[in-house]
Amino acid sequence: MSHRAGGERRLEEALAATDRRRFLPEEPRGLAGEDRPLPIGHDQTNSQPTTVRNMLALLDVRPGQRVLDLGAGSGWTTAPLARLCGPEGRVIGVERRAELIGPARAALAGTADAGTADAEIRLAHPGVLGAPQDAPYDRILVSAQADAVPESLVARLADGGVMVIPVRERMPRLERHGEGVTVSEHGAYLFVPLVEDPQTTR
């Protein structure tokens, strides 16, 4: 089996094992099977399943990798990332909305088993984008729209690392090799804005 075919199979299995209803508030759970974003409160959404699948396919997560899930929201992306990384991997989700942290952690805990990575969801620190103390990352997934690619996140990619981030309604995929970065674009998407603190220094 080719790497690409194996990766697609693993991705489908990870998504199938992640019950979207678990990551939704009670009111919209009946709509979990619909292929559209759903509100989770506090001006945030649970992303459209097709969008999540496309982003994870671009990210190409391998077993044993360290992954940053920035804009973890309800934990809806953190859970399949943990399954894709496998038990030797690590996933760190970061979310700025304090109100979402408790439900997201509870939902994520309900999906953990022997086949998933050590995964957690943290509250973002003011003035800090992501979790720089745990860099470098093999993969970075950003589920919020930026005005430009944050150089601080590119700097936290390991050699050979990949980042997928929506920028101005486009979906670039960045791959780092040494000091060089290659960029490819993959379609148009709408996301809630990435909140970058004006005092961000790290």
Side-chain angles (χ1 to χ4, degrees), residues 37-124:
L38 295 172
I40 56 173
H42 313 289
D43 298 319
Q44 303 299 300
T45 60
N46 178 285
S47 295
Q48 180 178 2
T50 295
T51 298
V52 171
R53 188 199 182 286
N54 291 347
M55 292 180 75
L56 293 180
L58 289 172
L59 203 62
D60 187 26
V61 177
R62 315 284 179 90
Q65 290 186 327
R66 178 186 293 266
V67 179
L68 173 65
D69 183 22
L70 185 56
S74 65
W76 164 231
T77 49
T78 315
L81 284 169
R83 198 162 292 278
L84 289 166
C85 287
E88 301 303 315
R90 177 90 188 277
V91 181
I92 298 170
V94 178
E95 172 53 46
R96 284 191 175 273
R97 299 283 186 176
E99 302 89 344
L100 299 177
I101 299 293
R105 286 174 174 168
L108 181 64
T111 65
D113 59 34
T116 59
D118 176 20
E120 61 178 301
I121 297 176
R122 301 176 184 171
L123 179 64

Side-chain angles (χ1 to χ4, degrees), residues 13-27:
E13 290 175 351
L15 290 171
T18 306
D19 184 356
R20 189 186 190 194
R21 290 173 298 178
R22 184 184 294 275
F23 298 89
L24 292 168
E26 186 173 350
E27 187 175 338

Side-chain angles (χ1 to χ4, degrees), residues 180-194:
V181 177
T182 58
V183 183
S184 56
E185 274 199 0
H186 303 269
Y189 296 85
L190 284 174
F191 278 84
V192 296
L194 176 65

Side-chain angles (χ1 to χ4, degrees), residues 97-175:
R97 299 283 186 176
E99 302 89 344
L100 299 177
I101 299 293
R105 286 174 174 168
L108 181 64
T111 65
D113 59 34
T116 59
D118 176 20
E120 61 178 301
I121 297 176
R122 301 176 184 171
L123 179 64
H125 291 290
V128 180
L129 187 61
Q133 68 274 24
D134 290 284
Y137 296 98
D138 301 297
R139 300 289 188 267
I140 297 177
L141 179 70
V142 183
S143 296
Q145 184 168 274
D147 289 329
V149 175
E151 291 300 322
S152 62
L153 291 182
V154 176
R156 292 174 203 150
L157 282 173
D159 191 17
V162 173
M163 176 164 63
V164 174
I165 174 173
V167 178
R168 293 184 179 272
E169 300 183 15
R170 309 301 296 175
M171 189 67 74
R173 179 186 192 269
L174 297 89
E175 188 166 347

